[in-house]
Amino acid sequence: MVKYIDHIAIAVSDLVSTVQVFETILGTSIYKKELVASEGVQTYFLQLGGTKIELLESVSQDSAIAKFIHKKGDGMHHIALEVDDIYQEMDRLKAAGIEVLNDIPKKGADNKLICFLHPKTTGGVLIELVQSQVE
Ligand code: CMX
């Protein structure tokens, strides 16, 4: 079951100015930075009620974020949906014809299990399934 929107992620190239812009818009400061080496990104999180805004900066030339910015420029990159059972949701969505980009969930930021869905099969929007794990 999909429970709620966990975060909205934005790809940024000029992190310093974009962080300032989002801190101004939301009236709050970033509360966490986390390097996700496996994805080649540095993440910056702002909290907005029960949802987060994740700013993504590439730290490797061949990361998905570097490729995205090169092709489309800065902007909205993906929406992350918190699910109760990521394995079950991956099976359900595969059966519904949606392309699941990992065979098994990966470990992502925030100690979550994650799996991306191909935007070509989701109305042009990259979607990330996330499942919180008990610390
Ligand atoms: N949102 C919407 N469409 C996107 C997209 C995005 N974020 N990224 C790529 N696309 C589109 C491209 O525009 C392209 O469309 P066209 O064929 O119409 O031009 C199509 O998807 C294929 O894109 P591509 O540039 O050829 O790139 P790839 O196929 O190499 O990769 C994708 C696309 C989504 C499969 C790849 O980026 C991926 O596996 N993403 C999941 C991992 C990820 O994004 N990690 C970064 C975030 C990590 C984190 O949050 O921690």
Side-chain angles (χ1 to χ4, degrees):
M1 181 181 67
V2 176
K3 292 160 71 179
Y4 52 82
I5 295 175
D6 178 73
H7 65 267
I8 293 172
I10 297 162
V12 305
S13 51
D14 181 354
L15 189 79
V16 174
S17 67
T18 311
V19 164
Q20 274 179 3
V21 168
F22 276 88
E23 288 183 335
T24 301
I25 293 169
L26 301 181
T28 187
S29 301
I30 56 164
Y31 68 90
K32 182 171 101 157
K33 299 179 187 180
E34 184 179 345
L35 179 70
V36 186
S38 56
E39 296 289 328
V41 292
Q42 175 73 48
T43 65
Y44 295 75
F45 285 95
L46 298 109
Q47 189 78 40
L48 178 65
T51 308
K52 287 161 262 175
I53 303 281
E54 180 187 37
L55 303 178
L56 293 169
E57 179 189 40
S58 177
V59 293
S60 99
Q61 285 186 341
D62 56 357
S63 70
I65 295 304
K67 193 171 178 187
F68 177 86
I69 288 177
H70 179 70
K71 200 167 175 184
K72 300 191 183 208
D74 289 24
M76 236 211 61
H77 185 259
H78 66 263
I79 297 175
L81 304 175
E82 175 79 24
V83 299
D84 60 348
D85 183 336
I86 195 163
Y87 293 92
Q88 198 173 51
E89 288 306 300
M90 287 167 66
D91 285 346
R92 182 176 73 82
L93 296 173
K94 264 192 267 186
I98 290 170
E99 186 181 342
V100 170
L101 284 165
N102 321 111
D103 292 332
I104 52 167
K106 301 191 282 186
K107 179 130 190 292
D110 253 356
N111 191 34
K112 289 177 190 282
L113 291 175
I114 65 168
C115 174
F116 284 90
L117 309 177
H118 201 292
K120 288 284 180 199
T121 61
T122 56
V125 178
L126 180 61
I127 293 177
E128 179 184 20
L129 304 179
V130 303
Q131 181 183 347
S132 298
Q133 302 183 94
V134 180
E135 300 276 329

